[in-house]
């Protein structure tokens, strides 16, 4: 394990720093986890969920995949969501994309990358669905970021329509689904104004988010 020795060194330093900061931190952490948030984000190494929202281990439950996709055949993602909603009882599900996403760029440019092309098929379908909105942005360099935003809103819609979230709402469980996007260039999170708190408003909120002029105008002014 000599090649990983630096990681063990960093781990020891981090563990000791946490103990000095809060002596009972690991004892409390080992007894339970009760985060209020489920984060569904991109696997990109530059978008670490805990760090960018300033939360400690145990404060956010995380699922990540390439392009922060939520599809109804992905048992991994659905299992995480079911555990978070039904067992941990999170109160918020955050779908977070990021500008400059490589998976989104590959779908937009129709790159052939191999096996991952199958994973990104649903993103390609989103691109085709919203091609006119993307093309309306005059600066083609901004097309990737526009699709990144659109993809987040579509994934929020998908989360809202999972049986897991629908059943939680039917039994009166407090649960909100949010769409955020992260700027790697400045380290800032941005609210896409897509927050859904019940089944009745899901369609209207997501449709309004997709129709919002800011998706185009903000990028034209950038």
């Amino acid at each position: 394990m000599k090649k990983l020795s630096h990681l063990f060194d960093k781990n020891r330093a981090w563990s000791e720093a946490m103990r000095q900061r809060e002596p009972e931190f690991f004892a409390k952490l080992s007894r339970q986890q009760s985060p209020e948030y489920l984060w569904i984000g991109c696997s990109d190494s530059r978008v670490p969920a805990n760090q960018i929202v300033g939360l400690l281990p145990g404060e956010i439950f995380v699922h990540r995949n390439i392009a922060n996709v939520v599809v109804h055949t992905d048992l991994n993602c659905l299992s995480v969501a079911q555990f978070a909603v039904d067992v941990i009882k999170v109160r918020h599900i955050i779908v977070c994309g990021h500008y400059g996403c490589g998976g989104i760029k590959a779908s937009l440019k129709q790159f052939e990358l191999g096996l991952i092309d199958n994973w990104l098929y649903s993103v390609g379908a989103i691109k085709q669905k919203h091609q006119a909105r993307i093309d309306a942005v005059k600066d083609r360099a901004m097309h990737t970021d526009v699709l990144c935003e659109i993809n987040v809103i579509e994934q929020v819609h998908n989360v809202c329509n999972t049986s897991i979230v629908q059943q939680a709402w039917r039994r009166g469980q407090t649960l909100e689904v949010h769409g955020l996007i992260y700027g790697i260039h400045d380290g800032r999170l941005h609210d896409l104004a897509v927050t859904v708190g019940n089944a009745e408003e899901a369609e209207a909120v997501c449709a309004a988010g997709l129709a919002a002029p800011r998706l185009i105008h903000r990028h034209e002014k950038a």
Side-chain angles (χ1 to χ4, degrees), residues 114-166:
L115 181 62
I116 193 177
D117 297 338
N118 299 280
W119 176 255
L120 294 174
Y121 177 84
S122 63
V123 179
I126 290 171
K127 168 190 171 286
Q128 291 180 349
K129 177 181 176 182
H130 297 282
Q131 190 66 62
R133 177 169 290 281
I134 297 168
D135 291 342
V137 178
K138 297 175 183 178
D139 185 350
R140 295 183 64 85
M142 295 294 177
H143 285 190
T144 296
D145 287 349
V146 172
L147 184 55
C148 287
E149 293 182 343
I150 291 172
N151 180 59
V152 168
I153 298 172
E154 288 283 6
Q155 303 311 327
V156 166
H157 183 265
N158 288 347
V159 170
C160 291
N161 284 288
T162 62
S163 59
I164 299 156
V165 172
Q166 289 284 318

Side-chain angles (χ1 to χ4, degrees), residues 18-69:
M18 291 300 297
R19 291 177 189 277
Q20 291 180 4
R21 176 177 172 181
E22 186 178 345
E24 296 299 315
F25 176 77
F26 291 109
K28 290 189 292 185
L29 196 64
S30 65
R31 287 193 289 269
Q32 65 174 351
Q33 64 167 339
S34 54
E36 291 188 16
Y37 313 96
L38 166 60
W39 176 283
I40 299 176
C42 184
S43 297
D44 193 299
S45 61
R46 300 167 295 177
V47 192
N50 284 72
Q51 287 92 327
I52 66 177
V53 291
L55 294 179
L56 293 171
E59 294 183 325
I60 190 166
F61 200 60
V62 178
H63 173 80
R64 296 168 69 182
N65 62 57
I66 295 173
N68 43 273
V69 170

Side-chain angles (χ1 to χ4, degrees), residues 97-123:
H98 67 95
Y99 293 123
C101 178
I104 300 296
K105 187 180 297 183
S107 295
L108 185 67
K109 304 296 184 181
Q110 297 182 315
F111 294 150
E112 292 187 1
L113 301 175
L115 181 62
I116 193 177
D117 297 338
N118 299 280
W119 176 255
L120 294 174
Y121 177 84
S122 63
V123 179

